[in-house]
Amino acid sequence: MTGDTMTRDNNNTPTRLRLAVVDMVGTTITDDGRTERALSRALVEHGVEPGSSRFESMLGYARDTMGFSKMAVFGDLFGDPGVAESANKVFEKAYDELIEDGGIRAIPGAEDAIIWMRECGMQVCLATGFGRHTQNMVLESLGWMGLADLSLCPADAGRGRPYPDMILTALLALDLDDVREVAVIGDTSSDMLSGVRSGASLIAGVLTGSHSEATLRAAGATVVVDSIKQLPLLLEKREARHV
């Protein structure tokens, strides 16, 4: 592939894809269920009995809202900002302990896809629903500090997904001026919805994480692929159609 990846707006005006905002857990990395285990520990330590209907309902909500800010999820679950903050601290501590055994792994082809995008002239932002401490722990455990141009968590932008704030913050931080130059890649409905709300021109769902193709498309995915490793081929084909 040569030159910048291209798309076109409704007026048939060429717009280069200059930025990819890429999710982490479920899209570029896998943690073998450690997120859910840490969430479960936070619920239990805040008085929710394991196996109870309340526990299963709350855990189900957490699954449905994968990709959201964890602070926001705990706020919804407990309805009390103080309890939410306490639960989030338990979650972060539990997650730190759970990743010490090296259980965080890159999804095959993810690192190559990120490098490929950057070599093609795109900037890459890794975005997450984790807090900054947890995000840094994950990046450090993989040796990914510096792999992308930018990493963002909800606190960096004001609000997490499904709001578009992290995408728009990345656009501004990397000195771009047109949201149509953005591709959003993720494995959850919240990733897709944030992309729609931001005005990104490419919203790609991947099937390596939490949600099904039907769920991703219903939330606004413009395309769904099995894995991020297929993204370079997808972008090459997209450019070929629009040259």
Side-chain angles (χ1 to χ4, degrees):
M1 179 176 176
T2 59
D4 293 312
T5 302
M6 302 286 287
T7 184
R8 293 177 187 268
D9 67 15
N10 291 332
N11 296 320
N12 209 37
T13 303
T15 302
R16 290 176 175 84
L17 284 176
R18 298 183 183 273
L19 169 63
V21 179
V22 187
D23 175 54
M24 293 178 62
V25 176
T27 303
T28 55
I29 65 173
T30 180
D31 67 2
D32 292 332
R34 284 167 173 76
T35 298
E36 186 166 317
R37 284 152 58 190
L39 283 164
S40 297
R41 189 181 302 179
L43 296 179
V44 171
E45 291 197 19
H46 285 79
V48 185
E49 184 179 350
S52 66
S53 59
R54 182 183 180 216
F55 179 89
E56 294 302 329
S57 175
M58 293 174 86
L59 194 57
Y61 179 79
R63 292 188 189 113
D64 290 342
T65 54
M66 283 294 182
F68 282 43
S69 160
K70 294 299 179 284
M71 269 293 296
V73 172
F74 287 125
D76 290 343
L77 290 174
F78 290 107
D80 181 310
V83 176
E85 184 175 355
S86 175
N88 190 63
K89 287 179 179 177
V90 172
F91 168 81
E92 290 188 340
K93 181 181 179 183
Y95 200 84
D96 284 356
E97 293 171 357
L98 289 168
I99 66 174
E100 285 179 355
D101 64 359
I104 297 286
R105 303 190 313 277
I107 287 174
E111 186 169 343
D112 288 341
I114 292 169
I115 292 169
W116 182 91
M117 285 186 282
R118 295 188 71 186
E119 288 178 346
C120 287
M122 294 177 70
Q123 298 185 84
V124 177
C125 171
L126 289 171
T128 185
F130 290 148
R132 168 54 58 190
H133 168 77
T134 305
Q135 184 178 35
N136 284 346
M137 288 287 290
V138 171
L139 292 172
E140 287 173 2
S141 73
L142 291 167
W144 278 14
M145 286 294 193
L147 176 65
D149 298 276
L150 181 67
S151 65
L152 289 175
C153 67
D156 298 324
R159 297 177 298 182
R161 298 175 293 229
Y163 298 102
D165 299 31
M166 287 195 290
I167 299 168
L168 300 177
T169 297
L171 187 83
L172 294 170
L174 295 171
D175 202 27
L176 302 178
D177 57 11
D178 191 340
V179 77
R180 294 170 300 175
E181 298 173 342
V182 179
V184 175
I185 301 100
D187 69 299
T188 68
S189 60
S190 63
D191 293 309
M192 304 300 98
L193 188 52
S194 66
V196 171
R197 289 173 170 175
S198 73
S201 60
L202 175 65
I203 305 167
V206 298
L207 299 176
T208 47
S210 296
H211 292 161
S212 67
E213 179 173 357
T215 298
L216 295 171
R217 289 194 182 278
T222 58
V223 65
V224 176
V225 294
D226 289 337
S227 167
I228 192 173
K229 69 182 179 181
Q230 295 173 295
L231 198 63
L233 180 59
L234 170 70
L235 293 175
E236 285 184 330
K237 288 181 176 179
R238 186 181 180 90
E239 180 185 33
R241 289 198 304 269
H242 292 138
V243 170

